Coordinates of all heavy atoms in Angstrom, one line a residue:
M28 N -12.0 -12.0 8.0 CA -11.5 -10.8 8.5 C -12.3 -9.6 7.9 O -12.4 -9.6 6.7 CB -10.0 -10.7 8.2 CG -9.4 -9.4 8.4 SD -7.6 -9.3 8.1 CE -7.3 -10.4 6.8
S29 N -12.8 -8.7 8.7 CA -13.6 -7.6 8.2 C -12.7 -6.4 8.1 O -12.0 -6.1 9.1 CB -14.8 -7.4 9.1 OG -15.5 -6.3 8.7
T30 N -12.9 -5.6 7.0 CA -12.1 -4.4 6.9 C -13.1 -3.2 7.0 O -14.2 -3.3 6.7 CB -11.4 -4.3 5.5 OG1 -12.3 -4.5 4.5 CG2 -10.3 -5.4 5.5
Y31 N -12.5 -2.1 7.4 CA -13.2 -0.8 7.5 C -13.7 -0.3 6.2 O -14.8 0.2 6.1 CB -12.3 0.2 8.3 CG -12.9 1.6 8.3 CD1 -14.0 1.9 9.1 CD2 -12.3 2.6 7.5 CE1 -14.5 3.2 9.1 CE2 -12.8 3.9 7.5 CZ -13.9 4.2 8.4 OH -14.4 5.5 8.4
D32 N -12.9 -0.4 5.2 CA -13.2 0.2 3.9 C -12.3 -0.4 2.8 O -11.3 -1.1 3.1 CB -13.0 1.8 4.0 CG -13.8 2.5 2.9 OD1 -14.5 1.9 2.1 OD2 -13.8 3.8 3.0
E33 N -12.7 -0.1 1.5 CA -11.8 -0.4 0.4 C -11.3 0.9 -0.2 O -12.1 1.8 -0.5 CB -12.6 -1.2 -0.6 CG -13.0 -2.6 -0.2 CD -13.8 -3.4 -1.3 OE1 -14.2 -2.8 -2.3 OE2 -13.9 -4.6 -1.1
I34 N -10.0 1.0 -0.4 CA -9.4 2.2 -0.9 C -8.5 1.8 -2.1 O -7.7 0.9 -2.1 CB -8.5 2.8 0.2 CG1 -9.2 3.1 1.5 CG2 -7.8 4.1 -0.3 CD1 -10.4 4.1 1.4
E35 N -8.7 2.6 -3.1 CA -7.9 2.5 -4.4 C -6.5 2.9 -4.1 O -6.3 3.9 -3.3 CB -8.5 3.3 -5.5 CG -9.8 2.9 -6.0 CD -9.8 1.6 -6.8 OE1 -8.8 1.3 -7.4 OE2 -10.9 1.0 -6.9
I36 N -5.5 2.3 -4.6 CA -4.1 2.6 -4.4 C -3.8 4.1 -4.8 O -3.0 4.8 -4.2 CB -3.1 1.7 -5.1 CG1 -1.7 1.8 -4.7 CG2 -3.3 1.8 -6.6 CD1 -0.8 0.8 -5.2
E37 N -4.5 4.6 -5.8 CA -4.3 6.0 -6.3 C -4.7 7.0 -5.2 O -4.3 8.1 -5.2 CB -5.2 6.3 -7.5 CG -4.8 5.4 -8.7 CD -5.5 4.1 -8.7 OE1 -6.6 3.9 -8.1 OE2 -5.0 3.1 -9.4
D38 N -5.6 6.6 -4.3 CA -6.0 7.5 -3.2 C -5.1 7.5 -2.0 O -5.3 8.3 -1.1 CB -7.4 7.1 -2.7 CG -8.5 7.3 -3.9 OD1 -8.3 8.2 -4.7 OD2 -9.4 6.5 -3.9
M39 N -4.1 6.6 -2.0 CA -3.1 6.6 -0.9 C -1.9 7.5 -1.2 O -1.7 7.8 -2.3 CB -2.7 5.1 -0.7 CG -3.9 4.2 -0.3 SD -3.3 2.5 0.1 CE -2.8 2.8 1.8
T40 N -1.2 7.8 -0.1 CA 0.0 8.6 -0.3 C 1.2 7.6 -0.2 O 1.3 6.7 0.6 CB 0.2 9.6 0.9 OG1 -1.0 10.5 0.8 CG2 1.4 10.4 0.7
F41 N 2.1 7.7 -1.2 CA 3.3 6.9 -1.3 C 4.5 7.7 -0.8 O 4.7 8.8 -1.2 CB 3.5 6.3 -2.7 CG 4.7 5.4 -2.7 CD1 4.7 4.2 -2.0 CD2 5.8 5.7 -3.6 CE1 5.8 3.4 -2.1 CE2 6.9 4.8 -3.6 CZ 6.9 3.7 -2.9
H42 N 5.2 7.1 0.1 CA 6.5 7.7 0.7 C 7.6 6.9 0.1 O 8.0 5.9 0.7 CB 6.4 7.7 2.2 CG 5.2 8.3 2.8 ND1 5.1 9.6 3.0 CD2 4.0 7.7 3.1 CE1 3.9 9.9 3.5 NE2 3.2 8.8 3.6
P43 N 8.3 7.3 -1.0 CA 9.3 6.5 -1.6 C 10.5 6.2 -0.7 O 11.1 5.2 -0.8 CB 9.8 7.3 -2.9 CG 8.9 8.6 -2.9 CD 8.0 8.6 -1.7
E44 N 10.9 7.2 0.1 CA 12.0 7.0 1.0 C 11.8 5.9 2.0 O 12.7 5.2 2.5 CB 12.4 8.3 1.7 CG 11.4 8.8 2.7 CD 10.1 9.5 2.1 OE1 10.0 9.6 0.9 OE2 9.3 9.8 2.9
L45 N 10.5 5.6 2.4 CA 10.2 4.6 3.3 C 9.6 3.3 2.6 O 9.4 2.3 3.3 CB 9.2 5.1 4.3 CG 9.6 6.3 5.2 CD1 8.4 6.8 6.0 CD2 10.7 6.0 6.1
E46 N 9.3 3.5 1.3 CA 8.6 2.4 0.6 C 7.3 2.0 1.3 O 7.0 0.9 1.5 CB 9.5 1.3 0.3 CG 10.8 1.6 -0.5 CD 11.6 0.5 -0.9 OE1 11.2 -0.7 -0.8 OE2 12.8 0.7 -1.3
L47 N 6.5 3.1 1.6 CA 5.4 2.9 2.5 C 4.2 3.7 1.9 O 4.3 4.8 1.5 CB 5.7 3.4 3.9 CG 4.6 3.4 4.9 CD1 4.4 1.9 5.4 CD2 4.9 4.3 6.1
F48 N 3.0 3.0 1.9 CA 1.8 3.7 1.5 C 1.0 4.0 2.8 O 1.0 3.2 3.7 CB 0.9 2.7 0.6 CG 1.4 2.5 -0.7 CD1 2.3 1.4 -1.0 CD2 1.0 3.3 -1.8 CE1 2.8 1.2 -2.2 CE2 1.5 3.0 -3.1 CZ 2.4 2.0 -3.3
T49 N 0.4 5.2 2.8 CA -0.4 5.6 4.0 C -1.8 6.1 3.5 O -1.9 6.6 2.4 CB 0.3 6.6 4.8 OG1 0.5 7.8 4.1 CG2 1.6 6.1 5.4
Y50 N -2.7 6.1 4.4 CA -4.1 6.7 4.2 C -4.6 7.1 5.6 O -4.5 6.3 6.5 CB -5.0 5.6 3.5 CG -6.3 6.2 3.1 CD1 -6.4 6.9 1.9 CD2 -7.4 6.0 3.9 CE1 -7.6 7.4 1.5 CE2 -8.6 6.5 3.5 CZ -8.7 7.2 2.3 OH -9.9 7.7 1.9
P51 N -5.3 8.2 5.7 CA -5.8 8.7 7.0 C -6.8 7.7 7.6 O -7.7 7.2 6.9 CB -6.4 10.0 6.6 CG -5.9 10.5 5.3 CD -5.5 9.2 4.6
C52 N -6.6 7.5 8.9 CA -7.5 6.7 9.6 C -8.5 7.6 10.4 O -8.1 8.6 10.9 CB -6.7 5.8 10.6 SG -7.8 4.7 11.6
P53 N -9.7 7.2 10.7 CA -10.7 8.0 11.4 C -10.2 8.3 12.9 O -10.6 9.2 13.5 CB -11.9 7.2 11.5 CG -11.8 6.2 10.4 CD -10.4 6.0 10.1
C54 N -9.3 7.4 13.4 CA -8.8 7.6 14.8 C -7.8 8.8 14.9 O -7.4 9.2 16.0 CB -8.2 6.3 15.3 SG -6.5 6.0 14.8
G55 N -7.3 9.3 13.7 CA -6.4 10.4 13.7 C -5.0 9.9 13.3 O -4.1 10.8 13.0
D56 N -4.7 8.7 13.3 CA -3.4 8.1 12.8 C -3.5 7.9 11.3 O -4.3 8.5 10.7 CB -3.1 6.9 13.6 CG -1.6 6.6 13.6 OD1 -0.8 7.2 12.8 OD2 -1.1 5.7 14.4
R57 N -2.8 6.9 10.8 CA -2.9 6.5 9.4 C -2.7 5.0 9.2 O -2.0 4.4 9.9 CB -1.9 7.3 8.6 CG -0.5 7.0 9.0 CD 0.5 7.9 8.4 NE 1.9 7.4 8.8 CZ 3.0 7.9 8.3 NH1 3.0 8.9 7.5 NH2 4.1 7.4 8.7
F58 N -3.5 4.5 8.2 CA -3.3 3.1 7.8 C -1.9 3.1 7.1 O -1.5 4.0 6.4 CB -4.4 2.7 6.8 CG -5.7 2.7 7.4 CD1 -6.6 3.8 7.2 CD2 -6.2 1.7 8.2 CE1 -7.9 3.7 7.7 CE2 -7.4 1.6 8.7 CZ -8.3 2.7 8.5
E59 N -1.2 1.9 7.2 CA 0.1 1.8 6.6 C 0.2 0.4 6.0 O -0.3 -0.6 6.5 CB 1.2 1.9 7.6 CG 1.2 3.3 8.3 CD 2.3 3.4 9.4 OE1 2.9 2.3 9.8 OE2 2.6 4.5 9.8
I60 N 0.9 0.4 4.8 CA 1.3 -0.9 4.2 C 2.5 -0.7 3.4 O 2.7 0.3 2.7 CB 0.1 -1.5 3.3 CG1 0.5 -2.9 2.8 CG2 -0.2 -0.6 2.2 CD1 -0.7 -3.7 2.2
L61 N 3.5 -1.6 3.6 CA 4.8 -1.5 2.9 C 4.7 -2.0 1.4 O 3.9 -2.9 1.1 CB 5.8 -2.3 3.6 CG 6.3 -1.8 5.0 CD1 7.1 -2.9 5.7 CD2 7.1 -0.6 4.8
L62 N 5.4 -1.3 0.6 CA 5.5 -1.7 -0.8 C 5.9 -3.2 -0.9 O 5.3 -3.9 -1.7 CB 6.5 -0.8 -1.6 CG 6.8 -1.2 -3.0 CD1 5.5 -1.2 -3.9 CD2 7.8 -0.2 -3.6
A63 N 6.9 -3.6 -0.2 CA 7.3 -5.0 -0.2 C 6.2 -6.0 0.1 O 6.1 -7.1 -0.5 CB 8.5 -5.2 0.7
D64 N 5.4 -5.6 1.1 CA 4.3 -6.5 1.4 C 3.3 -6.6 0.3 O 2.7 -7.7 0.0 CB 3.6 -6.0 2.7 CG 4.4 -6.2 3.9 OD1 5.3 -7.0 3.9 OD2 4.2 -5.5 4.9
M65 N 3.0 -5.5 -0.4 CA 2.1 -5.5 -1.5 C 2.7 -6.3 -2.7 O 2.0 -7.0 -3.4 CB 1.8 -4.0 -2.0 CG 1.1 -3.3 -0.9 SD 0.8 -1.6 -1.3 CE -0.6 -1.7 -2.4
L66 N 4.0 -6.2 -2.9 CA 4.6 -7.0 -3.9 C 4.5 -8.5 -3.6 O 4.5 -9.3 -4.5 CB 6.1 -6.6 -4.1 CG 6.3 -5.2 -4.7 CD1 7.8 -4.8 -4.5 CD2 6.0 -5.2 -6.1
D67 N 4.4 -8.8 -2.3 CA 4.2 -10.2 -1.9 C 2.7 -10.7 -1.9 O 2.4 -11.8 -1.5 CB 4.8 -10.4 -0.5 CG 6.3 -10.5 -0.5 OD1 6.9 -10.7 -1.5 OD2 6.8 -10.3 0.6
G68 N 1.8 -9.8 -2.4 CA 0.4 -10.1 -2.5 C -0.4 -9.6 -1.4 O -1.7 -9.8 -1.4
E69 N 0.1 -9.0 -0.4 CA -0.7 -8.4 0.7 C -1.5 -7.2 0.2 O -1.0 -6.4 -0.5 CB 0.3 -8.0 1.9 CG -0.5 -7.5 3.1 CD -1.3 -8.5 3.8 OE1 -0.9 -9.7 4.0 OE2 -2.5 -8.2 4.0
N70 N -2.7 -7.1 0.7 CA -3.5 -6.0 0.3 C -4.3 -5.3 1.5 O -5.2 -4.5 1.3 CB -4.5 -6.4 -0.8 CG -5.6 -7.3 -0.3 OD1 -5.4 -8.1 0.6 ND2 -6.8 -7.2 -0.8
I71 N -3.9 -5.7 2.7 CA -4.5 -5.1 3.9 C -3.6 -4.2 4.6 O -2.5 -4.5 5.0 CB -4.9 -6.3 4.9 CG1 -5.9 -7.3 4.3 CG2 -5.5 -5.7 6.2 CD1 -7.2 -6.7 3.8
A72 N -4.0 -2.9 4.7 CA -3.3 -1.9 5.4 C -3.9 -1.8 6.8 O -5.1 -1.8 7.0 CB -3.4 -0.5 4.7
V73 N -3.0 -1.6 7.8 CA -3.5 -1.6 9.2 C -3.1 -0.2 9.8 O -2.2 0.4 9.4 CB -2.9 -2.7 10.1 CG1 -3.3 -4.1 9.5 CG2 -1.4 -2.7 10.1
C74 N -3.9 0.1 10.8 CA -3.6 1.3 11.6 C -2.9 0.9 12.8 O -3.4 0.0 13.6 CB -4.9 2.1 12.0 SG -4.6 3.5 13.0
P75 N -1.7 1.5 13.1 CA -1.0 1.1 14.3 C -1.6 1.5 15.6 O -1.2 1.1 16.7 CB 0.4 1.7 14.1 CG 0.2 2.8 13.2 CD -1.0 2.5 12.3
S76 N -2.6 2.4 15.6 CA -3.1 3.0 16.8 C -4.5 2.4 17.2 O -5.0 2.6 18.3 CB -3.3 4.5 16.7 OG -2.0 5.1 16.5
C77 N -5.2 1.8 16.2 CA -6.5 1.2 16.5 C -6.6 -0.1 15.8 O -5.7 -0.6 15.2 CB -7.6 2.2 16.2 SG -7.9 2.4 14.4
S78 N -7.8 -0.7 15.9 CA -7.9 -2.1 15.3 C -8.5 -2.0 13.9 O -8.7 -3.1 13.3 CB -8.9 -2.9 16.2 OG -10.2 -2.2 16.2
L79 N -8.6 -0.9 13.3 CA -9.1 -0.8 11.9 C -8.1 -1.2 10.9 O -6.9 -1.0 11.0 CB -9.6 0.6 11.6 CG -10.8 1.1 12.4 CD1 -11.1 2.6 12.0 CD2 -12.0 0.3 12.2
M80 N -8.7 -1.8 9.8 CA -7.9 -2.2 8.6 C -8.6 -1.8 7.4 O -9.9 -1.7 7.4 CB -7.7 -3.7 8.6 CG -7.0 -4.3 9.8 SD -6.9 -6.1 9.8 CE -8.5 -6.5 10.2
I81 N -7.9 -1.6 6.3 CA -8.5 -1.3 5.0 C -8.0 -2.3 4.0 O -6.9 -2.8 4.1 CB -8.3 0.2 4.5 CG1 -6.8 0.5 4.4 CG2 -9.1 1.1 5.4 CD1 -6.5 1.9 3.8
D82 N -8.8 -2.5 3.0 CA -8.5 -3.3 1.8 C -8.0 -2.4 0.7 O -8.7 -1.5 0.3 CB -9.7 -4.1 1.4 CG -9.4 -5.2 0.3 OD1 -8.3 -5.4 0.0 OD2 -10.4 -5.7 -0.2
V83 N -6.7 -2.6 0.3 CA -6.2 -1.7 -0.7 C -6.4 -2.4 -2.1 O -6.0 -3.5 -2.3 CB -4.6 -1.5 -0.5 CG1 -4.1 -0.6 -1.6 CG2 -4.4 -0.9 0.9
I84 N -7.1 -1.7 -3.0 CA -7.4 -2.2 -4.3 C -6.3 -1.8 -5.3 O -6.1 -0.6 -5.5 CB -8.8 -1.6 -4.8 CG1 -9.9 -1.9 -3.7 CG2 -9.2 -2.2 -6.1 CD1 -10.1 -3.3 -3.3
F85 N -5.7 -2.8 -5.9 CA -4.6 -2.5 -6.9 C -4.4 -3.8 -7.7 O -4.8 -4.9 -7.3 CB -3.3 -2.1 -6.2 CG -2.6 -3.2 -5.4 CD1 -1.6 -4.0 -6.0 CD2 -3.0 -3.5 -4.1 CE1 -1.0 -5.0 -5.3 CE2 -2.4 -4.5 -3.4 CZ -1.4 -5.3 -4.0
E86 N -3.8 -3.6 -8.9 CA -3.3 -4.6 -9.7 C -1.8 -4.7 -9.6 O -1.1 -3.7 -9.4 CB -3.7 -4.4 -11.2 CG -5.2 -4.3 -11.5 CD -5.8 -5.6 -11.2 OE1 -5.2 -6.7 -11.5 OE2 -7.0 -5.6 -10.8
P87 N -1.2 -5.9 -9.7 CA 0.3 -6.0 -9.5 C 1.1 -5.1 -10.4 O 2.1 -4.5 -10.0 CB 0.5 -7.5 -9.8 CG -0.7 -8.2 -9.5 CD -1.8 -7.2 -9.8
E88 N 0.6 -4.8 -11.6 CA 1.3 -3.9 -12.5 C 1.3 -2.5 -12.1 O 2.1 -1.7 -12.4 CB 0.8 -4.1 -14.0 CG -0.7 -3.9 -14.2 CD -1.5 -5.1 -14.1 OE1 -1.0 -6.2 -13.6 OE2 -2.7 -5.0 -14.4
D89 N 0.3 -2.1 -11.2 CA 0.2 -0.8 -10.6 C 1.5 -0.5 -9.8 O 1.8 0.7 -9.6 CB -1.0 -0.6 -9.7 CG -2.3 -0.7 -10.5 OD1 -2.3 -0.5 -11.7 OD2 -3.3 -1.0 -9.8
L90 N 2.1 -1.5 -9.3 CA 3.2 -1.3 -8.3 C 4.5 -1.0 -9.1 O 5.5 -0.5 -8.4 CB 3.4 -2.6 -7.5 CG 2.2 -3.0 -6.6 CD1 2.5 -4.2 -5.9 CD2 1.8 -1.8 -5.7
E91 N 4.6 -1.2 -10.4 CA 5.8 -0.9 -11.1 C 6.3 0.5 -11.0 O 7.4 0.8 -10.8 CB 5.6 -1.3 -12.6 CG 5.5 -2.8 -12.8 CD 5.3 -3.2 -14.3 OE1 5.6 -2.3 -15.1 OE2 4.8 -4.3 -14.5
E92 N 5.3 1.5 -11.1 CA 5.7 2.9 -11.0 C 6.2 3.2 -9.6 O 7.1 4.1 -9.5 CB 4.5 3.8 -11.4 CG 3.6 4.2 -10.2 CD 2.5 5.2 -10.7 OE1 1.6 4.7 -11.2 OE2 2.6 6.4 -10.4
F93 N 5.7 2.6 -8.6 CA 6.1 2.9 -7.2 C 7.5 2.2 -6.9 O 8.3 2.8 -6.2 CB 5.1 2.4 -6.2 CG 3.8 3.1 -6.4 CD1 2.7 2.4 -6.9 CD2 3.6 4.4 -6.0 CE1 1.5 3.1 -7.1 CE2 2.4 5.1 -6.2 CZ 1.3 4.4 -6.7
T94 N 7.8 1.1 -7.5 CA 9.1 0.5 -7.3 C 10.2 1.4 -8.0 O 11.3 1.6 -7.5 CB 9.2 -0.9 -7.9 OG1 8.9 -1.0 -9.3 CG2 8.3 -1.9 -7.1
A95 N 9.8 2.0 -9.2 CA 10.7 2.9 -9.8 C 10.9 4.2 -9.0 O 12.0 4.7 -8.9 CB 10.1 3.3 -11.2
M96 N 9.8 4.7 -8.4 CA 10.0 5.9 -7.6 C 10.8 5.6 -6.3 O 11.6 6.5 -5.9 CB 8.6 6.4 -7.1 CG 7.8 7.0 -8.2 SD 6.1 7.5 -7.9 CE 6.0 7.8 -6.2
A97 N 10.7 4.4 -5.8 CA 11.5 4.1 -4.6 C 12.9 3.7 -5.0 O 13.8 3.5 -4.1 CB 10.8 3.0 -3.9
G98 N 13.2 3.5 -6.3 CA 14.5 3.0 -6.7 C 14.7 1.5 -6.4 O 15.9 1.1 -6.4
T99 N 13.7 0.8 -6.3 CA 13.7 -0.6 -6.1 C 13.8 -1.3 -7.4 O 13.1 -1.0 -8.3 CB 12.5 -1.1 -5.3 OG1 12.4 -0.4 -4.1 CG2 12.6 -2.6 -5.0
D100 N 14.7 -2.3 -7.6 CA 14.8 -3.0 -8.8 C 13.6 -4.0 -8.9 O 13.5 -4.9 -8.1 CB 16.1 -3.8 -8.8 CG 16.4 -4.5 -10.1 OD1 15.4 -4.6 -11.0 OD2 17.4 -5.1 -10.3
S101 N 12.8 -3.8 -9.9 CA 11.6 -4.6 -10.0 C 11.9 -6.1 -10.3 O 11.1 -6.9 -9.9 CB 10.6 -4.1 -11.1 OG 11.3 -4.1 -12.4
M102 N 13.0 -6.4 -10.9 CA 13.4 -7.8 -11.1 C 13.7 -8.4 -9.7 O 13.5 -9.6 -9.6 CB 14.6 -7.9 -12.0 CG 14.3 -7.4 -13.4 SD 12.8 -8.1 -14.2 CE 13.4 -9.8 -14.4
Q103 N 14.2 -7.7 -8.8 CA 14.6 -8.3 -7.5 C 13.3 -8.5 -6.7 O 13.3 -9.4 -5.8 CB 15.5 -7.3 -6.7 CG 16.9 -7.2 -7.3 CD 17.7 -6.2 -6.4 OE1 17.2 -5.5 -5.6 NE2 19.0 -6.3 -6.7
V104 N 12.2 -7.8 -6.9 CA 11.1 -8.0 -6.1 C 10.0 -8.8 -6.7 O 8.8 -8.8 -6.2 CB 10.5 -6.6 -5.6 CG1 11.5 -5.9 -4.6 CG2 10.2 -5.7 -6.8
G105 N 10.3 -9.3 -7.9 CA 9.3 -10.3 -8.5 C 8.4 -9.7 -9.6 O 7.5 -10.4 -10.0
I106 N 8.5 -8.5 -10.0 CA 7.7 -7.9 -11.0 C 8.4 -8.2 -12.3 O 9.6 -7.9 -12.5 CB 7.5 -6.4 -10.9 CG1 6.7 -6.1 -9.6 CG2 6.8 -5.8 -12.1 CD1 6.5 -4.6 -9.4
T107 N 7.7 -8.8 -13.3 CA 8.3 -9.0 -14.6 C 7.5 -8.3 -15.6 O 6.3 -8.0 -15.5 CB 8.2 -10.6 -14.9 OG1 6.9 -11.0 -14.8 CG2 9.1 -11.3 -14.0
A108 N 8.2 -7.9 -16.7 CA 7.5 -7.1 -17.7 C 6.6 -8.0 -18.6 O 6.7 -9.1 -18.6 CB 8.6 -6.5 -18.6

């Protein structure tokens, strides 16, 4: 599977109320990936309007701050200290 680009998680926008990361897509829409999917090991964000995908670069421990912002219990989603 070929991706359009590799994007660091820090360059994405996190929407805590939706538990969703987004990044602008060249088509005018945005790439999207859910926090829950990332916690499950997924790292490909897709654009719902075109066929482009990006590879999100992150370490599992990077997600801890986002689970806290979203109010998600990290023990319930598999993150351990």
